[in-house]
Every structure is written in C-alpha cells, then in structure tokens.
Amino acid sequence: MTDPRDEPAPFGTIVLLTTLSAVAVAALQYFVAERLNLKLLLVGPIALVAFEVVVHEVWWRRWWGAVPGALAGLVLYFEGRQMVAEPVAYVAAWALFAVVFCLASRIPLGGLEERRAGPAGPGQDPAE
C-alpha cells in the first residue's frame, strides 16, 4: 500500500480548475474592474493549488514544481501580453503554471536516489 502523500498532483483536475479560475478572474477584471477592487482575486489560482496541496497532503518533494511553474508562467505572461491581449496572456500563464506544477509533482525531489538504487529485496530496509 502506498502513502497517498506520495501521489502526484491530479493533472486534469489541477490544470482545469486553475485555468477556469484564471478565466473567471480575467472576466471579472474585464467586466467589473472599475466597480470592485479585484487585487485579492488575482490569487485565486494560487489558492486552488494551495487547496490541493493541503487537502491531498502533498509533501514538499512533490510540490517543488510550483517554483519553475511560477517562473514559466511569469515569463509567458510578460512576454505574451505584448503579442496578445492581457487576459489571454494571464489565462495562458496560469495554465502553463498548472501544467509545469503537475508534471513536476511526478518527480519527487527525495525519490531520485531511491529509484536509481532499485527496489529493496524482501527483508531489506530500503534506507540502508
């Protein structure tokens, strides 16, 4: 039996919810920006990822991908808004963040040495 905290982030769920959250934030920003202060809503996609981490008890070695995901998303956003409309770049950046985060969660930071060493035989402690 495997520890559920060692499971990778659910790809489809995270990418879909993060992207839909970014679409909702972009739509709110576009339609009601002058009536509401929406600065707090900009963390909506981050809150969804944090919720997944808390609910699924994902260990740091599984969610380290948030760092390269954030960097990739920021680059896409700042470069993309020059080529396409800002809301499109915003949604695409959050979608890229979610994809990188989910893919990175499949490679645990602490597990690379264990995979190279191979599985332990019966009666052997894998930590030795």
Side-chain angles (χ1 to χ4, degrees):
M1 191 153 116
T2 63
D3 188 344
R5 294 176 293 184
D6 284 332
E7 295 298 317
F11 188 84
T13 303
I14 294 285
V15 172
L16 181 66
L17 287 176
T18 304
T19 304
L20 290 176
S21 173
V23 167
V25 169
L28 281 172
Q29 182 69 26
Y30 181 76
F31 290 113
V32 292
E34 52 280 340
R35 285 183 244 145
L36 296 174
N37 183 4
L38 296 177
K39 291 180 182 177
L40 293 178
L41 287 177
L42 295 178
V43 298
I46 293 173
L48 276 174
V49 173
F51 174 76
E52 283 292 326
V53 168
V54 170
V55 168
H56 294 287
E57 296 182 62
V58 180
W59 290 358
W60 168 249
R61 64 181 187 192
R62 288 286 181 188
W63 58 275
W64 63 271
V67 174
L71 292 175
L74 285 171
V75 168
L76 178 65
Y77 173 71
F78 287 115
E79 294 297 323
R81 69 183 183 168
Q82 303 299 322
M83 294 181 275
V84 296
E86 188 168 351
V88 174
Y90 177 79
V91 171
W94 276 110
L96 179 62
F97 166 79
V99 167
V100 172
F101 169 74
C102 288
L103 291 177
S105 77
R106 278 132 176 81
I107 306 169
L109 272 181
L112 294 177
E113 298 83 24
E114 295 168 11
R115 288 187 183 172
R116 278 189 235 136
Q124 293 180 340
D125 185 9
E128 293 179 348

